[in-house]
Structure formats: structure tokens, C-alpha cells
Amino acid sequence: MKHKYSLIIPLAFCFGELVAQDYGLGKAMLWLEQDEKSKFYTVAGERHGQSFFKKHQFPEVEYTPGEKLTFDIYHTPDVMYHWYKVWAEKYPDITELYEVARSFEGRPILQMTITNKKTGKHTDKAAAYFEGGRHGGEVTSSESVLWLTQHLLENYGKDPEITKLIDTKTIYLRPQNNPDGTNMYLFTEQRNRSTVRPYDVDRDGLMDEDPEEDLNGDGVIHMMRKKAVTEEDKAKANYILDPRDPSGRLMKRVFDGQGEYLMFTEGIDNDGDGRYNEDGIGGLDLHRNYPENWRPDSGGDMTGRGYTQWGAGEYPLSEIETRSTVLWLLSHPNISVVNSLDTRVPMHLRPPSTSGSEESMFPEDLAIYKKFDQMGMDITGYPWAGDVYETYSTRYKVNRLTGDPLKPNPLFGHGPDFGYFYYGAIWYGDELWNNGAMKDYDGDGIYDDYDALMWDDEENGSKGFKPWEKFDHPQLGEVEIGGFHPKFFSQNGPPWQLESWIRKQSLFNLAMAKELPQIDLLATDIKKSTDGTYDVKVTWKNSGGLPVALEQAKRVKIVQEDRLMLEFDRDLTKGFEDAKVQIISPELYDKTIYAGYTKAGETKTATFKVKINQSEPVKAKLKILSTRGGYIEKEIELGK
């Protein structure tokens, strides 16, 4: 069998002379989404299916920066980056904007550091990290990071708590971790899980050979429903009209052969395998590509009896978007709090993802997570907070199709598990939005499509659901096209709902950042003893709400214990017993006091004993080094 195999290279790769201002962030190429002359959007990579799609602009999205940033509309990555560049120029004393990586297609992935540069280096302070956009279509997550960035910068010098936070801590913000996927999502009718790297979803040896198509030309991929007529169709039919909806819009899933309709996403069967749109652009999941408890992708278990993880990638960190995140975080161990945002189950989602919390977490760490779980629900009003393995998997107790009780379900290679078990931090993977299911209209205890439909009618002017319209399908015959808007009702909310969701999520992230550990030097007392030596007593406190190290961080050695050092000019300390200055205590060769890990609210003291063998006073640098509590340096004088 011969397969058509296409190699597509975006315009940016071909025409290096098409450049834009780069703001010191490297050569900025003109991408197809930026080329107003091009009517098509081309996706990079070698695939067996279509790689170019007609451009489409959604009314819910801002494609060109306005004079003012507002959050009653969604923003493209370029518009977001515009505002980050504006802020970098407007707030040079507290921001740094830089490129951390290039995506699969070569787009820049930008990140901003926010801290008061005059109070110390960003790496010398306790830090938090927030990112969005890992899943290309979950654009609400990126908007939340954008909102938080603006909130921090515009309130610095006005809000005392935010001012203190930026003066004493560091906030790292990455709004777009997957600009390839997001751009395709916002500039075409196409959608995918994460990266646009070609991927064989259905494992038929072909990559991306069966994408969805916008058959009716409205720029949106809706659903298709087909009335089962033939005996073959009736044997497969697994949907009926939901009896709760007398208008006949809502469909209900039933067992195969017990339904009256077949349901498909909009499109045709490009590869003739009897399935529709099962292998579109990409398919890998960046949120299954982390190294902690990673499992092979579908088909990768040679026994057929073990666990696999759909979308895991060829190997852990195979994707540059995930790899750049992990390597950057490992080189910045000062980070204690992370939230990598998604949509669309309104939940504060945390580790573990493959076992129960009590089973695999230190009790002290779990208590901190549960504190944040409750804090999050109090701020956002989300109905759920907890671990992936149990809380997420069993948030509804029964499978509505089979009636079987739901059991905990493992998720491998998951970001929050890397964050806690590998990186030893507080790491959430919170999900915003709720599919439009604002309240439980029928009182069945489940927030589902019926509740979304009722809310759409009551509060959204029925704009979220396209009425079913007949269409003559080239393969299926007569079908109807309609259903919920997949991009701006189901996966993300209507724009008028956007700010309320991203604001409350950002306020939770801000609240966690305010809990960061903070080592403060309280006192340095110098006393001369009767034997002529000097005692240098140092008192410090962790004034933050978190310890300088979770118990898991101690276990995996991502955080060193707090240390104190007294540093003199080398000429004063050379000569061993004949040295002009001798540190008598501690007796260790490196003369470092190892002080353990300072708990939240804990005050500690430690004492150096120093002998001075000269009449003149000497100066020294007192250093307190805490991996996640910060770095303090103070000059002191002995021998006055």
C-alpha cells in the first residue's frame, strides 16, 4: 500500500529575511499567523494527512493588541507577548523578559521574572512559578497567567502585600508553554491536545491522516449526529435524545445497539477505516511526558499486561516544551510553589496521580497540601480539591453508563507528581472553567451537559449551543451538524465569563505565593569571652507560611539544609595555627554551621567562636544560605 507522505515547513523556516523587532530576545521571524497575506495556516512536520488549513478568526479572540488590555476577550500568543514586552519596558526595575526555549515549530517561549532587582538577585529569594498553555486549546489557563502578571505589576507600590511580595520574593511566569498548539487552535478550526508534532493516534502506521473538517464552513468543528437506519448502523447506535431536554438538542450515551443515533465530530473518514477524525494534528500530551512515574505510550508494553499511558511520548521529556520546563526548574531550586494550569474541570488538582495521598505522601506535607486545598476552594469556589488518583477519578461515584462504582485510576508522567515526588515542591495542576455546568439544575448531584445547556439558555443567550442543521455528508448521507461550541463554551468559557474565572484562580496562586518561606536575620550579637575569643551569635526566623523544605524535598535532596558561613579575607585565615583570624567553632574543616531545615514560623540560633590574633579589628561577611528560604549576606566587625 502506498501512502502519501508530506513534509511541511512553515514560512518562518524558509524566509529568514522576514523579521520583526526582537526586543533582545533573539531573531523574531514572521510566522504564518502574522502574515496577513496568507489565507492558509500551515503546521510543521512530516505527516500523512493535511498540514494546511484555511485561516479563521473567532470573534471571541483579539488578534491585534488594543490600546488597553482587557479580559472580556481571549488573546493570541502574539498579543500576550506584546503586553509582556510593554511591561518589560515600563517596569525595568522589577521585571526581566527572556526566551527560555523554542517550541517544536521553533516559536519563542517567553518567560518573565518579577522581583525587585534592588533588593537582590531573583535566585537569592524564595520563588513561585506559574505557567499556562501546555494544552494548546486550554487558552483560559494562559489568560490566568496574563491576568496575574498585570495584577502584580500594576499593584506594585500600591498594594502593601504585593509590594512586599515583589520586594522579598521572586515570581516566574510563563504564559505560553505551547505556542504551536495555541496558535493553530486560535487561527484555524483545528484543535488538538498539546504539541503539533505528528503522532499516530490510532496506531495504524499513519500520522495525522484523519483530521476533523469544517464541513459547513462556519469555522467551528461541531458534532454530527446520524439517525441509525441500516441494520449495521442500528447495531452500533449508542446515543438517544436525552429525555431531560424536550427540545431534542441534547444527546445521551447508551450501550451499543440500544441507541437511535450515531455521533461523530464534524469531518469525513479520510483514511477509509470506518472511523471519523480519530487521528488529527498531533496527539501527544505534554502533561504525560514528565519523568516521574512515566509509562510507555499506547502499544509500548510488550507483555500486553502492564500499564501504558496514552500520549506519553517516545520517552520522558521527549518534547522540548516539557523538557525546557523541567530543566529550567531543576536549575532554579529556590522555587517552592508551582501551578501549571489547564481546563476544564473546576478543581485544585494535585499529586499523587498513581496512588492515594495517605499511602505515599509524608503526613507533614499532606497537611500543607490539604491546607492549600481548602484555601483554594474558599477563594475560587471550585467544588473539588485533592489528588488525581482518588479525588479526581472518583469525584462522581458511579459510571453513569454502566452503573459500576468508579475506582481510583492512575495517571502516569503527570506534572504534579514530578513536582512533588521529584522536585519536592507544592505543585498544583489546577483546572479552570466547568464546561458551562454552573449549577445542578436537575438535582442529580452531577454537573453535566444538561446543566450546561440549561445555563446556556438562561444566562448565555443560547449562544453556546448550535441548533442541529441538516447536512448532506459525502460518506454518511444525511446527518445533522450542531452541538456545543467546542472552543468557547466547552473547553473555554464565553468571553464575558473569562475574567471572573481567571481572577479567582490568580488570587489563589497569589495566596500561595504569599506563603513562601522567608528567612529573616533577626539579630547578630557579638561578645568577647574571657579567653579572648569572640562569640558571634546569629538569630534567624522563617517568617513564611511554608517550611524551607518539604519532607519529600529532604528525601530527594533537591534542597540543602540551611547553612551559616562567616567569611573573612583569605589573607587573614591562612596559616593554620598562625593565622591572624581563626574560626574555632564550628570545628569542621569548611567552618560551616549546618542548621537543618527551618520550619514555618521557627526561630533558630547558632554561634561561631572566633579567635583574633592581631590588635586591629577585622571585618567579615555573615552568610545565611537557604535553598528555598533565600540568601542573606551582612557585613560585621570583630575586635573593636
Side-chain angles (χ1 to χ4, degrees), residues 562-575:
D562 296 340
R563 289 155 290 151
L564 284 75
M565 301 173 69
L566 205 54
E567 190 176 276
F568 295 90
D569 186 284
R570 287 188 178 183
D571 288 339
L572 296 175
T573 56
K574 67 181 181 181

Side-chain angles (χ1 to χ4, degrees), residues 531-534 577 579-584 609-613 638:
D531 61 359
T533 61
Y534 291 85
E577 292 84 357
K580 296 177 181 179
V581 175
Q582 295 173 277
I583 300 177
I584 306 301
K609 185 177 286 292
V610 181
K611 183 178 181 182
I612 301 178
N613 299 316
L638 287 73

Side-chain angles (χ1 to χ4, degrees), residues 68-133:
K68 183 179 179 182
L69 176 62
T70 64
F71 291 96
D72 55 357
I73 194 167
Y74 291 88
H75 308 89
T76 67
D78 278 347
V79 172
M80 289 190 177
Y81 284 173
H82 163 82
W83 288 107
Y84 275 90
K85 291 167 185 175
V86 167
W87 292 329
E89 294 177 358
K90 185 176 181 180
Y91 304 101
D93 293 335
I94 59 172
T95 66
E96 196 72 38
L97 182 64
Y98 46 94
E99 180 181 311
V100 289
R102 291 272 170 142
S103 67
F104 167 73
E105 290 189 303
R107 287 180 177 83
I109 298 174
L110 302 189
Q111 183 167 298
M112 177 170 277
T113 296
I114 298 180
T115 191
N116 185 347
K117 298 176 184 178
K118 296 178 181 178
T119 60
K121 296 190 300 183
H122 63 96
T123 50
D124 287 346
K125 302 170 184 176
Y129 170 84
F130 303 113
E131 75 166 13

Side-chain angles (χ1 to χ4, degrees), residues 13 25 57 59 104-105 168 191 196 217 219 353 385 420 539 591 613:
F13 293 136
L25 298 167
Q57 292 198 352
F104 167 73
E105 290 189 303
T168 61
R191 51 192 176 153
V196 300
S353 303
Y420 175 69
T539 304
K591 302 302 178 184
N613 299 316

Side-chain angles (χ1 to χ4, degrees), residues 45 78 91 96 226 235 267 323 334 354 361 424 580:
D78 278 347
Y91 304 101
E96 196 72 38
K226 173 179 169 54
R323 188 164 66 250
N334 55 319
T354 60
M361 299 180 77
K580 296 177 181 179

